[in-house]
Amino acid sequence: MKNIIYPILAMSIMSCSVTKQMKVQVYETSANGNSLKKMETFSEKESNIIISLNPEETFQTITGFGGAFTESSAYLLNKLSAKNRKKILEVYFSEKGANYSLTRTHINSCDFSLKQYAYAMVDGDKNLENFSIDEDKKNHLIPTILEAKSISKDGFNIIASPWTSPPWMKDNKKWVGGKLLPEYYDTWALYFSKYIKAYKKEGINIWGVTVENEPHGNGNNWESMLFTPQEMTRFVQNNLGPKLEKDGWKDIKILGYDQNRAGIKEWVDEMYKDEKSSKYYAGTAIHWYESTYEVFPEDLQYAHKKAPNKYLIQTEACVDSEIPHWNDDSWYWKKEATDWGWDWASEKDKYLHPKYAPVNRYANDIIGCLNNWVDGWVDWNMVLDRQGGPNWFKNWCVAPVIVDVEKDEVYFTPLYYTMAHFSKFMRPGAVKIGCTINHKDIISTAVKNPDGSIAVAIFNPTDEAVGIEINLNNIKKSISINAKALQTVVINL
């Protein structure tokens, strides 16, 4: 009997290992009309494209995904009916929606404000006795954040960024350009502390700050203040860091740089030069405007290696220098958009700014960033109007949600669904895991969430639907992805 039982038992064990199933849920946004649609059936295409997952190979921990609270967005939301305002905030912040976990807002005004303003406008007020955030209450910025907070079950973190100090603190006494005068370094550090305290009093906790939005400037167009890497690091080391620590805000994350990736090396070299220079920096903030297609992986890898235990967060991205296309999903999938560099980039950099498809740019960049140590990715304005504003400088851009306040209408562009593919399924605390794909055009990335599920993002920019085999610990699952499509595959074993 022993000789009969053991072979049968062995066969049974082999049978179980062979038949073990990978349970997946697949969601797709595509040029053919899918908008975060749950896919129940797949075309029977040969799966010669293989995605191999390795949960044992781990990289960065995910901080989150989301967008920015700006005065422009808050103003528009307040102009809509209460029903549509709530609808938009719910699709961004509820569990049923994109469930944004990481956001940004501006300290003082920015280009996406209706006017230029600061919280302390009395010249020479070094002790900031006249400091007040009342403007952010009147312009609906604070009420909008509070309403979003009431909707979000898990909550979300906020990064606050100044575009400029009040003009009286600067050498040129203007909103645009110029440098912070050394005699106001302590005052400007106090400004951050007062801002954090004032927002906390309103029921809003600030998670982190960037020292300065785009310290190289923006071509002297809208609010800006210039820093060199050395100047910013001295300010953080000697003024901002010690002040926040002294005032009880040592847990506030200070992020340096906050501009385009191609310039990151000289900044991290200075920021993380030694223990003193890096002490108060929690990480580095970056933008994507250097190119419409290039992720700059070498620069991202360099920044990570320079400070492997620090944050590396994409804090701003948008389809810039474009007026949004209204109720035209197809435009967002076509290579027709142009950015500032299409017209204004130097001849040597023109090649970095060809026409592009907005969805492709977002999907390629987020996946590329995740595959190169970036732990957070924040979009720019959450809501804009049909002109791409309001914006006091008329610096028009596109947002994932476009509204017509006169008609009380809302358009959720494909960019909203693109963002949701990541924010909804890749949660804070997730860990980037090993993920390879044997295809040069189709790209992928994967994370393991705190609940144990694995989320795999797959982007197919080609004109052909293809079959894909997902391989996890020799357990395989065959699916297909449509042409010009973004998928998130959620795996539960």
Side-chain angles (χ1 to χ4, degrees):
M1 292 292 292
K2 290 181 180 179
N3 290 333
I4 297 173
I5 291 173
Y6 285 158
I8 292 173
L9 185 59
M11 286 174 64
S12 176
I13 292 170
M14 287 174 64
S15 175
C16 287
S17 66
V18 169
T19 59
K20 188 172 183 181
Q21 296 292 309
M22 184 188 298
K23 298 177 182 178
V24 303
Q25 292 178 313
V26 181
Y27 302 87
E28 182 177 278
T29 296
S30 59
N32 69 4
N34 290 335
S35 297
L36 210 64
K37 178 183 177 181
K38 188 174 183 180
M39 308 298 286
E40 303 290 356
T41 59
F42 302 95
S43 61
E44 295 183 6
K45 292 184 174 292
E46 185 180 356
S47 301
N48 55 5
I49 298 173
I50 300 171
I51 293 177
S52 300
L53 303 175
N54 182 4
E56 302 305 313
E57 184 182 19
T58 58
F59 299 88
Q60 73 272 29
T61 299
I62 301 301
T63 304
F65 300 89
F69 294 101
T70 61
E71 182 188 355
S72 295
S73 292
Y75 168 83
L76 292 169
L77 285 165
N78 191 65
K79 287 289 185 180
L80 294 170
S81 63
K83 179 182 177 181
N84 273 338
R85 180 175 69 251
K86 185 177 181 182
K87 178 182 179 181
I88 292 170
L89 289 174
E90 283 183 341
V91 299
Y92 270 130
F93 291 100
S94 73
E95 281 187 304
K96 292 181 179 179
N99 206 7
Y100 273 11
S101 54
L102 184 63
T103 66
R104 189 185 188 215
T105 193
H106 48 92
I107 297 173
N108 302 324
S109 65
C110 65
D111 46 329
F112 280 90
S113 296
L114 275 66
K115 65 178 183 181
Q116 295 174 314
Y117 69 89
Y119 309 130
M121 290 303 295
V122 177
D123 287 11
D125 182 12
K126 279 196 168 185
N127 296 323
L128 301 180
E129 294 175 0
N130 297 283
F131 185 94
S132 172
I133 60 167
D134 284 349
E135 190 65 41
D136 286 354
K137 299 178 189 178
K138 293 186 292 184
N139 67 19
H140 307 292
L141 188 55
I142 286 174
T144 298
I145 296 173
L146 290 172
E147 190 172 352
K149 186 180 173 184
S150 72
I151 291 168
S152 176
K153 180 181 177 182
D154 295 334
F156 51 86
N157 290 326
I158 303 173
I159 299 168
S161 302
W163 267 236
T164 182
S165 72
W168 57 268
M169 294 187 191
K170 297 162 69 175
D171 57 7
N172 68 350
K173 307 302 180 186
K174 295 178 180 179
W175 292 100
V176 178
K179 292 194 173 189
L180 183 68
L181 288 166
E183 60 259 39
Y184 290 119
Y185 272 33
D186 283 339
T187 301
W188 187 227
L190 174 63
Y191 202 99
F192 278 84
S193 182
K194 280 184 168 285
Y195 169 84
I196 294 164
K197 182 178 181 180
Y199 260 65
K200 186 175 181 64
K201 187 176 180 181
E202 296 299 321
I204 299 170
N205 292 325
I206 300 299
W207 177 82
V209 296
T210 69
V211 186
E212 168 62 34
N213 175 73
E214 299 183 346
H216 291 307
N218 51 52
N220 288 329
N221 290 313
W222 52 86
E223 290 94 332
S224 58
M225 186 163 69
L226 308 178
F227 281 92
T228 65
Q230 293 76 18
E231 289 166 343
M232 181 179 288
T233 297
R234 283 197 298 270
F235 171 66
V236 170
Q237 181 179 330
N238 300 325
N239 307 94
L240 182 60
K243 182 59 178 173
L244 295 187
E245 187 174 57
K246 179 182 177 182
D247 288 357
W249 309 121
K250 66 178 182 179
D251 291 333
I252 299 293
K253 314 297 186 291
I254 300 175
L255 305 176
Y257 189 40
D258 208 11
Q259 198 156 359
N260 296 334
R261 296 169 203 167
I264 200 171
K265 291 183 179 181
E266 65 170 331
W267 284 82
V268 295
D269 279 348
E270 187 65 32
M271 291 164 57
Y272 307 127
K273 182 170 60 177
D274 53 39
E275 187 176 345
K276 287 183 179 180
S277 67
S278 63
K279 176 181 178 180
Y280 292 109
Y281 280 122
T284 310
I286 50 174
H287 297 180
W288 80 350
Y289 302 107
E290 207 87 39
S291 171
T292 62
Y293 69 89
E294 176 62 76
V295 176
F296 295 99
E298 291 182 3
D299 299 88
L300 296 177
Q301 292 277 349
Y302 185 92
H304 167 73
K305 289 176 183 177
K306 199 73 181 180
N309 297 317
K310 305 282 189 180
Y311 294 98
L312 183 56
I313 297 177
Q314 161 82 27
T315 52
E316 185 183 318
C318 72
V319 176
D320 59 307
S321 300
E322 280 280 358
I323 294 174
H325 285 241
W326 177 258
N327 281 334
D328 182 8
D329 283 7
S330 64
W331 180 83
Y332 293 84
W333 290 93
K334 295 176 183 175
K335 291 187 176 181
E336 295 180 357
T338 59
D339 73 341
W340 65 270
W342 177 260
D343 294 315
W344 301 110
S346 64
E347 285 303 316
K348 70 180 179 66
D349 292 329
K350 280 280 189 185
Y351 76 98
L352 290 168
H353 301 274
K355 289 186 176 182
Y356 66 94
V359 169
N360 292 32
R361 188 178 182 189
Y362 270 72
N364 276 320
D365 198 84
I366 298 173
I367 291 173
C369 279
L370 290 174
N371 288 340
N372 288 282
W373 295 102
V374 173
D375 56 272
W377 207 99
V378 184
D379 190 28
W380 191 205
N381 299 275
M382 284 188 241
V383 183
L384 291 176
D385 63 21
R386 294 183 62 170
Q387 180 62 45
N391 179 302
W392 72 263
F393 187 74
K394 299 183 178 180
N395 171 33
W396 313 127
C397 293
V398 180
V401 178
I402 306 299
V403 299
D404 186 329
V405 294
E406 299 300 323
K407 297 180 179 179
D408 193 32
E409 293 179 354
V410 182
Y411 171 39
F412 296 95
T413 77
L415 298 180
Y416 163 75
Y417 299 102
T418 301
M419 286 297 304
H421 271 276
F422 300 91
S423 63
K424 185 177 181 68
F425 302 110
M426 298 181 176
R427 303 303 299 157
V431 176
K432 168 74 177 67
I433 63 171
C435 177
T436 60
I437 185 169
N438 61 340
H439 199 280
K440 66 180 180 66
D441 296 317
I442 299 171
I443 59 174
S444 64
T445 194
V447 305
K448 185 173 183 180
N449 282 303
D451 66 3
S453 66
I454 291 175
V456 186
I458 309 166
F459 182 53
N460 175 17
T462 75
D463 294 324
E464 299 291 333
V466 296
I468 291 178
E469 179 185 278
I470 298 175
N471 188 333
L472 171 62
N473 297 330
N474 291 321
I475 304 169
K476 301 174 182 179
K477 180 70 175 181
S478 291
I479 62 171
S480 62
I481 182 170
N482 279 307
K484 295 183 178 178
L486 173 65
Q487 280 186 351
T488 303
V489 181
V490 181
I491 302 172
N492 290 286
L493 290 176

